[in-house]
Amino acid sequence: MDNQWNAAPSSGSKDRNVHVNGAEKKAQSQEQQEAEKHLQMRVEAQEKYMRSMMEKAHQALASGATWPAADEQAKISPPGRK
């Protein structure tokens, strides 16, 4: 009777699979780190932009300026009133 079908895989084959899986996990981890770094940079840029907009709005309000949209809204009467 031939026992080749019941034989366990050689340890060399198992080691190779572990090495390949480890390399894949390392590559995925590096890709994830790059994605997180890129996302963090975008978040920081958005924060900087929002801070700039808030500063400009604060300066405009402190100087007594009004927003163009507020001026336009004041010209429009509420619904149901004429």
Side-chain angles (χ1 to χ4, degrees):
M1 188 179 234
D2 192 357
N3 287 332
Q4 75 181 24
W5 298 109
N6 294 329
S10 68
S11 64
S13 171
K14 193 181 247 186
D15 290 341
R16 185 174 63 242
N17 288 341
V18 169
H19 178 70
V20 169
N21 288 339
E24 288 175 2
K25 286 181 182 180
K26 185 176 179 179
Q28 288 174 346
S29 176
Q30 287 175 339
E31 288 176 10
Q32 183 176 358
Q33 287 175 350
E34 285 296 317
E36 289 173 0
K37 182 179 175 182
H38 180 72
L39 181 58
Q40 183 63 33
M41 289 172 56
R42 291 182 62 190
V43 166
E44 289 170 1
Q46 185 69 19
E47 288 174 353
K48 184 178 177 181
Y49 171 76
M50 293 301 294
R51 200 173 297 117
S52 171
M53 291 293 102
M54 293 300 291
E55 287 174 7
K56 287 179 182 180
H58 179 74
Q59 289 170 357
L61 290 173
S63 71
T66 61
W67 297 104
D71 292 338
E72 290 300 316
Q73 187 66 28
K75 294 177 187 176
I76 300 172
S77 62
R81 294 188 184 175
K82 291 187 180 184

